Amino acid sequence: MVWWNVLMPVIEVTDLVKNYGDVEAVRGVSFSVEAGEVFAVLGPNGAGKSTIVEILEGHRSKSSGAVSVLGHDPGLAERSYRERIGIVLQDPAVEGQLTVEEVINVYGSMYPRRRKTGDLIELVGLEEKTHARIKTLSGGQKRRLELALGIVGDPELIFLDEPTTGFDPSARRQAWSIIDNLTSLGKTVLLTTHYMDEAQHLADRVAVIADGRIVATGTPETLGGRDTARTVITFHLDLQTVEGFPVAEMARLDSGLVTVKSDNPTRDLHLITGWALDHDVELAGLKVARPSLEDVYLELTGGDNHV
Amino acid sequence: MSERPSNRSLLQIQSAYQLRMFFRSPMAAFFTLFFPLMIFLVFSLVFGNSTSGVTGVTAAQYYAPAMAVFAAVSATYTNLAVTTAYQRDLGILKRVRGTPLPSSIYMVAKIVAATLIAALAVGIMMTIGVVFYGVQIFAATILSATVTFGVGVATFAALGLLVAAVSSSGEAATSITNATLLPLAFFSGIFIIPTADTPSWIETFSRIFPLKHFVEPFVAAFNPETVGAGWDWASILYMSLWGVVAVILAIRYFKWSPPQGREVRRRGRQSASVDT
Ligand SMILES: Nc1ncnc2c1ncn2[C@@H]1O[C@H](COP(=O)(O)OP(=O)(O)OP(=O)(O)O)[C@@H](O)[C@H]1O
Ligand SMILES: [Mg+2]
């Protein structure tokens, strides 16, 4: 690794804006990604994830703001830049008439450094399809091939736009281990996803984006104040028995479901269960939980309309 | 850091890859290689060895080179326009654009492959003409025929890429090439041998477009009455002019990403299948 790699962020985005005619798809986004980091962009459909990623890849132009990737301006589409990046697009593009092996060979031949075709096929688990025409592959297999094509040039930085959409659970695990493997080689990864568990598993840092703006950034553990957020106690209760309830000021009642947000769960839980025993009430479905990344995400993106 | 692949090896690999894709697309191969051949066989059967038209040669001696030009134009103009536009719809051009492959090499490889296919089509046509229909080939005009073929193929390849550049989709490119090539083929004397009775407006009209300037000198090169080496520099230059303008406009208007509507439509289909 050369010294400036250590000193400079791999990706630096400042006040990025993108308009499509009247549509403001990206409205002033800033973030930076360090070398060796896995950075996830999370957000609902139409939030602007692909727009941001494709500007960084050099596929789209920006309306305003500054973007620097590996010291390059992606908008110039320089060969030396594209030799250092790998791209997995959201929509798989297939040359249906060719075989898996042929396509990997052709794309590999474009790069100065390249990974061996056989190794790649094994890495993405397509050994049995080595000589199959691509049009005969299933949707998930095509996306695995895309993943192979994204890393065939042994890139320093990999862009993954929803890399595991359409994967079955075991293929998703496999893709995760490929990405883990890339990071252990010191590669930098920028990925977008809708899946909370994916962000949680893979990302060092997450940016949640909604409606073209970043609404939160942080590690998966601290995102949206998740680490300091109040514990949530929930249970079911009949309406007529609420009298004398100890922590009423923190409780919310919604069609029989009581939700208590507590800063002091040990004490509050003790009070609640004590009250229940005194009144001989059963706290049906009692649950104590910290907000999941999914809860935080839904709150941040304001969307029950999403999931 | 290892070596960058050389332009030469990139061009070789890319041309081979384009060729392979062509030969694995039965429809494209059929319409380019066999369709013109079939027309030639039918015309030779119907018109036999009767001499007709102003050229005064047998039907086969006229139709073999004329249909060879038609095949060459299908291999370049139609084929490049349609496959390139479809590849853009599929997102393949976009993916290529994201690699370090210089776009010029990608485009030249497409043209090289199309030229080789055109040469193959012409070769098949002329060979069958010579072997089965007594078509004559003249040493004196071989060179001018070859140069006319080269310039014609380059021009129509450029025009094909221009159609791909301005088409909104693969379907649109198909319509545009059919709607232009077929009528022009009639007017330019590919299907109908020009005679003294041919209306002069057809003659005037067809001379505006490059196809006439490809067919006429190429057919003349196989006419026993042609004197000298058969050079028609005016036609060659006029075709080149079309080619140069086409290249400039194609570069100006070329798009690599799929049109937005299509991307959304494909995405809709994809997520629909994911949800179920
Ligand atoms: N080429 C385009 N022309 C016009 N509008 C566009 C274009 N591309 C994207 N948009 C709009 O910009 C917004 C952001 O789109 P984008 O594709 O970046 O979202 P996304 O976060 O990637 O969504 P998804 O999760 O569905 O992939 C959307 O409202 C979309 O309709
Ligand atoms: Mg997207």
Side-chain angles (χ1 to χ4, degrees), chain A residues 3-58:
Chain A
W3 62 269
W4 61 80
N5 282 2
V6 185
L7 297 181
M8 266 179 54
V10 169
I11 299 176
E12 178 102 73
V13 175
T14 319
D15 298 329
L16 180 63
V17 172
K18 174 70 184 183
N19 302 317
Y20 298 106
D22 296 340
V23 183
E24 294 182 311
V26 179
R27 316 167 183 227
V29 162
S30 303
F31 64 91
S32 69
V33 180
E34 307 292 325
E37 208 175 16
V38 179
F39 190 84
V41 179
L42 263 170
N45 289 131
K49 302 180 299 295
S50 294
T51 302
I52 294 171
V53 172
E54 293 199 1
I55 289 171
L56 299 179
E57 291 166 349

Side-chain angles (χ1 to χ4, degrees), chain B residues 8-275:
Chain B
R8 209 180 125 205
S9 80
L10 281 175
L11 187 59
Q12 269 172 8
I13 293 169
Q14 288 298 315
S15 305
Y17 148 82
Q18 295 291 343
L19 277 178
R20 193 174 289 164
M21 295 228 282
F22 174 82
F23 284 109
R24 290 199 192 153
S25 315
M27 288 301 281
F30 175 82
F31 276 105
T32 311
L33 296 177
F34 292 104
F35 187 62
L37 191 62
M38 262 167 41
I39 302 179
F40 168 66
L41 297 180
V42 169
F43 280 7
S44 303
L45 216 75
V46 172
F47 299 115
N49 277 343
S50 61
T51 56
S52 56
V54 283
T55 53
V57 296
T58 65
Q61 186 74 34
Y62 184 90
Y63 279 121
M67 293 316 299
V69 166
F70 185 68
V73 172
S74 298
T76 48
Y77 179 65
T78 310
N79 191 38
L80 276 184
V82 172
T83 56
T84 308
Y86 271 109
Q87 284 168 351
R88 178 174 53 224
D89 288 354
L90 288 171
I92 291 170
L93 295 187
K94 184 174 180 177
R95 189 170 65 201
V96 169
R97 184 68 163 167
T99 70
L101 181 72
S103 352
S104 55
I105 292 186
Y106 185 69
M107 288 301 163
V108 172
K110 275 181 173 294
I111 294 172
V112 168
T115 304
L116 291 175
I117 296 162
L120 177 69
V122 171
I124 293 175
M125 187 81 67
M126 296 316 293
T127 306
I128 290 182
V130 169
V131 173
F132 296 103
Y133 295 91
V135 171
Q136 292 172 277
I137 291 178
F138 307 102
T141 54
I142 282 270
L143 186 63
S144 70
T146 311
V147 171
T148 303
F149 168 82
V151 173
V153 157
T155 296
F156 280 94
L159 285 166
L161 290 176
L162 175 59
V163 170
V166 300
S167 298
S168 56
S169 67
E171 287 96 338
T174 311
S175 311
I176 294 175
T177 48
N178 285 338
T180 47
L181 177 57
L182 292 177
L184 276 183
F186 274 102
F187 288 128
S188 306
I190 284 185
F191 297 131
I192 303 169
I193 305 181
T195 65
D197 301 334
T198 305
S200 66
W201 68 265
I202 288 187
E203 178 72 12
T204 318
F205 177 73
S206 65
R207 284 210 180 276
I208 302 172
F209 301 99
L211 190 54
K212 179 80 174 173
H213 300 269
F214 192 175
V215 183
E216 206 174 54
F218 195 77
V219 168
F222 295 90
N223 187 337
E225 287 162 16
T226 298
V227 280
W231 292 104
D232 181 351
W233 289 111
S235 282
I236 289 175
L237 280 176
Y238 189 72
M239 266 201 294
S240 317
L241 189 67
W242 269 85
V244 169
V245 172
V247 166
I248 293 168
L249 292 179
I251 291 174
R252 167 79 180 72
Y253 290 107
F254 202 82
K255 295 175 291 291
W256 295 84
S257 292
Q260 170 63 7
R262 249 148 218 286
E263 216 164 10
V264 167
R265 214 161 68 206
R266 292 196 305 123
R267 185 175 305 170
R269 217 189 299 148
Q270 187 195 346
S271 52
S273 63
V274 170
D275 291 343

Side-chain angles (χ1 to χ4, degrees), chain A residues 54 59 79 82-83 90-95 97-98 102 106-107 109-113 133 146 149, chain B residues 2-5 10 13-14 17 20 24-25 90-92 94-97 99-100 102 263 266 270:
Chain A
E54 293 199 1
H59 281 312
R79 186 174 181 179
R82 288 179 288 157
E83 282 170 346
Q90 180 169 355
D91 296 298
V94 290
E95 283 101 335
Q97 309 95 318
L98 299 187
E102 285 168 345
V106 166
Y107 279 89
S109 71
M110 301 168 180
Y111 294 86
R113 273 175 314 173
R133 296 277 170 96
E146 289 283 326
L149 294 178
Chain B
S2 333
E3 291 267 313
R4 219 173 232 188
L10 281 175
I13 293 169
Q14 288 298 315
Y17 148 82
R20 193 174 289 164
R24 290 199 192 153
S25 315
L90 288 171
I92 291 170
K94 184 174 180 177
R95 189 170 65 201
V96 169
R97 184 68 163 167
T99 70
E263 216 164 10
R266 292 196 305 123
Q270 187 195 346

